């Protein structure tokens, strides 16, 4: 038996568990309607600060971050196992909605109505063409 097992570990410098730290955005709901890095990373930070983030996706137009290949074998990775996608979407809820169907648009409008923040990063005019412009929501 090693004598090291009797050495007490220092604990005074350790921060308290994160569950006991007040979170700045606790109680807020953020609806993320974004692709790539910038929008999803911004909402990742919001989730880490306590916000409930709901990521909205469409299987008809997957986020480019979901598509990747294994760097060694060059085999395509499963869309749920791409490291960079999982990194920027840590601590988020996700939902897939068919935004080409009127019921999908209505469902998204209901989600918006119960959210505090809507984050989207599409090109100018895209959100308006989907019937979700500022004047509508």
């Amino acid at each position: 038996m090693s004598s090291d097992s009797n050495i007490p570990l220092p604990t005074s410098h350790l921060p308290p568990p994160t569950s006991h730290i007040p979170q700045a955005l606790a109680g807020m709901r953020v609806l993320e309607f974004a692709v790539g890095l910038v929008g999803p990373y911004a909402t990742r930070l919001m989730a880490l600060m306590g916000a409930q983030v709901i990521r909205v996706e469409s299987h008809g137009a997957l986020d480019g971050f979901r598509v990747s290949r294994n760097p060694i074998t060059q085999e395509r990775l499963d869309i749920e196992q791409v490291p960079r996608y999982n990194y920027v979407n840590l601590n988020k809820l996700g939902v897939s909605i068919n935004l080409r169907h009127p019921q999908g648009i209505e469902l998204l409008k209901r989600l918006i109505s119960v959210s505090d923040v809507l984050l989207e990063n599409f090109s100018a005019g895209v959100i308006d063409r989907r019937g979700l412009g500022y004047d509508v929501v």
Side-chain angles (χ1 to χ4, degrees):
M1 182 170 194
S2 167
S3 63
D4 291 345
S5 63
N6 296 325
I7 298 173
L9 296 174
T11 57
S12 61
H13 70 283
L14 297 175
T18 57
S19 62
H20 301 296
I21 297 174
Q23 296 184 303
L25 300 181
M28 291 192 71
R29 178 175 293 140
V30 178
L31 194 61
E32 175 196 316
F33 198 44
V35 295
L37 176 64
V38 177
Y41 189 76
T43 55
R44 176 187 190 269
L45 296 176
M46 292 176 184
L48 290 172
M49 289 188 273
Q52 179 189 57
V53 177
I54 303 171
R55 177 174 171 76
V56 177
E57 289 188 278
S58 170
H59 278 288
L62 288 177
D63 186 337
F65 264 41
R66 278 197 178 271
V67 182
S68 187
R69 296 189 180 276
N70 181 310
I72 297 169
T73 66
Q74 294 302 309
E75 292 177 25
R76 179 170 264 179
L77 296 173
D78 180 271
I79 62 172
E80 299 295 336
Q81 297 177 345
V82 178
R84 65 182 178 197
Y85 176 83
N86 291 328
Y87 174 76
V88 296
N89 292 296
L90 182 68
N91 292 337
K92 297 179 188 179
L93 301 173
V95 62
S96 180
I97 299 176
N98 182 351
L99 299 175
R100 291 191 170 92
H101 195 282
Q103 287 179 322
I105 295 296
E106 287 307 310
L107 176 58
L108 188 57
K109 285 179 181 178
R110 285 183 22 219
L111 277 171
I112 292 169
S113 74
V114 296
S115 298
D116 300 298
V117 175
L118 170 64
L119 184 138
E120 62 91 7
N121 70 345
F122 296 112
S123 299
V126 170
I127 205 81
D128 291 320
R129 285 193 300 275
R130 295 205 185 237
L132 299 165
Y134 185 80
D135 55 334
V136 175
V137 299

